Amino acid sequence: MRQKKPRPRFPGLKLKDEDRELLRRKARERLTVRTWKRIRMLQLLDEGKTLAATAAAVGSAVPSVRRVGERYLAAGVEV
């Protein structure tokens, strides 16, 4: 029997405290679905969820989750 490969986690994504608080406040505002999904993706990745679990939770695809995480790491939360 083959062993299952561990699901990839997004490496190195830990939100800064001020970014975490900003996202928490923004999530309570009136948002487009697209913006809400991106905020939720970052929150779930920060919690240590896998790319697949995050994608399933927000109804998106794994490459989209990866792109959002990479953008955050490159330029911060405002992107």
Side-chain angles (χ1 to χ4, degrees):
M1 182 188 254
R2 286 182 4 180
Q3 287 185 332
K4 289 184 179 180
K5 288 183 183 180
R7 292 186 175 219
R9 297 194 181 278
F10 195 86
L13 192 132
K14 278 293 171 196
L15 295 172
K16 298 175 192 170
D17 289 336
E18 57 269 11
D19 289 346
R20 192 175 293 120
E21 183 57 35
L22 175 66
L23 292 176
R24 200 173 299 141
R25 280 193 317 249
K26 284 265 191 198
R28 293 185 185 134
E29 295 175 8
R30 189 175 182 105
L31 303 168
T32 64
V33 172
R34 182 179 183 182
T35 303
W36 180 86
K37 282 184 177 186
R38 289 178 178 173
I39 289 171
R40 192 64 187 133
M41 286 177 195
L42 289 173
Q43 290 173 331
L44 291 170
L45 290 172
D46 181 50
E47 292 172 10
K49 301 293 185 196
T50 64
L51 293 171
T54 300
V58 298
S60 190
V62 171
S64 297
V65 176
R66 182 178 286 120
R67 249 187 326 272
V68 169
E70 288 170 349
R71 285 183 189 150
Y72 172 78
L73 291 176
V77 76
E78 291 304 318
V79 174

